[in-house]
Amino acid sequence: MSKNIADVIIVGAGIAGNSAAYYCAKKGLKVIVLEEEMIGNGGSSRNGGGARVSGRDLREMPLAIYATQKIWPNLKDELGIDPEYRRKGYLVCGYNDTHKEGIKKRIKDAAKSGIEMFLIEGDDLKKINPYLSEHVTCAGWTPTDGVANPLTATLGFYKRAREMGVRFITGEKAVKINLYKGEARQVVTERGNIYEGGKIIVSAGYGGRSLINTVGLDLPLFKRLIEVIVTEPMPVMFHHMIGGMSGFYGHQTDHGSFVFGDSTGRENCMADVGGILSTSYNPSNICSHIGEDIPALKTAKIIRSWSGWVDMSNDGVPIIGNVPEVPNLVLDIGATGHGFCPGPAVGYTLAQLANNEKPDVDISKLAYERFDYAKKQPKYYFN
Ligand SMILES: Cc1cc2nc3c(=O)[nH]c(=O)nc-3n(C[C@H](O)[C@H](O)[C@H](O)COP(=O)(O)OP(=O)(O)OC[C@H]3O[C@@H](n4cnc5c(N)ncnc54)[C@H](O)[C@@H]3O)c2cc1C
């Protein structure tokens, strides 16, 4: 086989692309991964580490459940690195009756997927977290949710896939997909290199949109800049993940630092100004929520903050699966800001699709065809 020909070409080396590469290699497939920047450049190495099933849209629950039940708990042994997956529960705090109703809805949704989530009120709140302020009046508690380390997990898949023979090429931006007899066959890069594969997996976050435009497809996507902060290491306070119905979330890592993220409401308007405004407002917004909910952290020193773009799908869940109009093209785009937790299950599923297997996980509700315009599109046969 020529150097630039493989069974599978994967565009994007995030948690999904790296894990897809690993699971493809496990199946004996020859894989090339093209990454525009560096491994884990997207949200995959920058995120808050939340590995929760609760609070998700029912359509993507099967992936999150598969990841947290079948993959995350075994990853340390499987990859030979510690992704620091800890299943110590997730407490989502509410501050008023509207939040309480929202928590009840999450409890119902979780139950539909077989996940136990409980409404916690009054004195029971402090039994789960003695540091909570009076501002928190109710909470949803999901004992089976957890956290993991984005860097070790994403790079762990990369490292293991490389050891198994996957070829990763960084600084290689994919700009075009070439069809052959109507089927996806080649990926052309900005440097003019051509990579040919039996299957092409586009797992490139927002960057995937312009790439699939080159075969006449489009997706209702936009991008958002979100941010997390890290505190100095603190004495151990609690092990579970905490969040607010307002969007605030975080946890204490193994070495004592807290990682917290939040939304200001400005995120959807940041693309045009390069995120400058967002990064100046976000940390103070996150800190004010921490202070309100956990007063003992009011004086914790913030040692670092960083931001990352996320690919938002218009209807809140990713687009994952084959594309009937373009055989051999497999899509994974639009993780919508919560794709770290299901990421390994997405990679596992992409590898099954690349190998022409029926996926173990039900991804039927995440199909590209769910968008009306997709059904109305003509079939594209360019060459
Ligand atoms: C600050 C922050 C906090 C978050 N917190 C959480 C959380 O707590 N829990 C959770 O579940 N999720 C969280 N997320 C979201 C999560 O990180 C993402 O949804 C997930 O990592 C998406 O993974 P991915 O592999 O699909 O895409 P990405 O990680 O975005 O990877 C896509 C890769 O494709 C590359 N690429 C793009 N275009 C091209 C091209 N044309 N050619 C080649 N390569 C290309 C990019 O450089 C990138 O490396 C957070 C995200 C951020 C930014």
Side-chain angles (χ1 to χ4, degrees):
M1 242 185 206
S2 144
K3 211 173 150 217
N4 288 351
I5 298 180
D7 298 311
V8 187
I9 308 291
I10 299 176
V11 181
I15 183 98
N18 288 332
S19 56
Y22 164 72
Y23 289 114
C24 281
K26 252 183 119 175
K27 293 177 188 297
L29 298 172
K30 183 177 175 191
V31 184
I32 297 175
V33 180
L34 307 176
E35 166 55 51
E36 171 180 7
E37 297 279 346
M38 58 201 166
I39 307 299
N41 168 61
S44 295
S45 63
R46 302 166 188 259
N47 65 69
R52 63 171 172 84
V53 171
S54 63
R56 284 183 184 268
D57 188 297
L58 283 172
R59 292 170 292 173
E60 64 174 2
M61 283 243 188
L63 279 169
I65 290 173
Y66 194 90
T68 51
Q69 294 185 354
K70 299 249 165 71
I71 302 183
W72 281 112
N74 308 317
L75 218 46
K76 186 176 175 186
D77 291 338
E78 174 140 16
L79 298 180
I81 52 104
D82 187 0
E84 294 169 26
Y85 176 63
R86 310 282 179 261
R87 191 186 280 179
K88 300 284 183 186
Y90 175 41
L91 191 71
V92 61
C93 302
Y95 317 110
N96 53 45
D97 286 347
T98 311
H99 288 158
K100 189 167 158 181
E101 288 313 305
I103 290 167
K104 285 183 182 166
K105 178 175 182 312
R106 287 189 185 197
I107 291 171
K108 272 192 197 150
D109 282 352
K112 283 182 199 157
S113 298
I115 300 296
E116 281 195 318
M117 182 177 176
F118 305 95
L119 177 67
I120 310 290
E121 292 178 280
D123 293 345
D124 290 341
L125 284 166
K126 293 230 161 117
K127 284 185 195 152
I128 293 180
N129 189 321
Y131 297 96
L132 291 180
S133 73
E134 302 305 320
H135 178 64
V136 179
T137 54
C138 57
W141 173 240
T142 314
T144 49
D145 280 345
V147 294
N149 182 322
L151 267 176
T152 53
T154 300
L155 297 182
F157 275 115
Y158 157 72
K159 182 172 170 282
R160 194 68 198 104
R162 249 187 87 153
E163 285 164 1
M164 294 169 77
V166 173
R167 187 173 159 218
F168 286 84
I169 307 170
T170 53
E172 189 74 313
K173 180 177 180 177
V175 292
K176 188 170 187 292
I177 295 171
N178 281 339
L179 305 183
Y180 178 71
K181 294 189 176 167
E183 300 186 354
R185 178 63 66 86
Q186 293 176 333
V187 179
V188 184
T189 67
E190 205 167 48
R191 295 198 286 219
N193 296 324
I194 296 180
Y195 298 87
E196 195 162 316
K199 295 277 181 184
I200 293 168
I201 298 178
V202 177
S203 182
Y206 190 78
R209 183 176 185 180
S210 55
L211 186 60
I212 64 164
N213 284 168
T214 66
V215 287
L217 304 176
D218 195 21
L219 291 171
L221 284 183
F222 58 99
K223 61 177 186 171
R224 241 183 180 198
L225 191 75
I226 56 175
E227 190 155 7
V228 289
I229 59 161
V230 175
T231 71
E232 63 187 336
M234 307 281 289
V236 176
M237 289 171 65
F238 52 91
H239 295 289
H240 62 80
M241 189 181 170
I242 190 163
M245 289 299 282
S246 53
F248 147 78
Y249 65 93
H251 70 279
Q252 188 167 22
T253 63
D254 282 4
H255 64 273
S257 293
F258 279 89
V259 179
F260 282 110
D262 201 355
S263 315
T264 60
R266 297 178 187 84
E267 289 78 5
N268 291 356
C269 317
M270 286 301 122
D272 293 343
V273 289
I276 297 159
L277 283 176
S278 182
T279 49
S280 62
Y281 281 104
N282 273 1
S284 52
N285 185 64
I286 299 171
C287 291
S288 72
H289 267 154
I290 300 171
E292 260 172 7
D293 286 16
I294 312 164
L297 285 175
K298 256 186 187 165
T299 52
K301 290 193 177 62
I302 309 304
I303 54 170
R304 219 151 30 100
S305 76
W306 64 81
S307 56
W309 292 102
V310 287
D311 48 334
M312 307 294 293
S313 134
N314 214 17
D315 70 350
V317 293
I319 300 97
I320 299 176
N322 294 317
V323 183
E325 286 87 349
V326 185
N328 296 337
L329 178 65
V330 183
L331 292 187
D332 160 39
I333 304 183
T336 311
H338 41 247
F340 174 62
C341 168
V346 172
Y348 177 81
T349 304
L350 294 173
Q352 289 190 311
L353 293 172
N355 205 32
N356 296 318
E357 295 166 34
K358 185 176 179 296
D360 291 353
V361 184
D362 177 12
I363 52 164
S364 56
K365 302 272 181 353
L366 305 177
Y368 167 77
E369 302 94 284
R370 72 179 184 266
F371 299 110
D372 257 7
Y373 65 80
K375 290 179 207 128
K376 290 172 197 146
Q377 281 208 147
K379 282 183 181 280
Y380 282 85
Y381 293 108
F382 287 165
N383 44 12

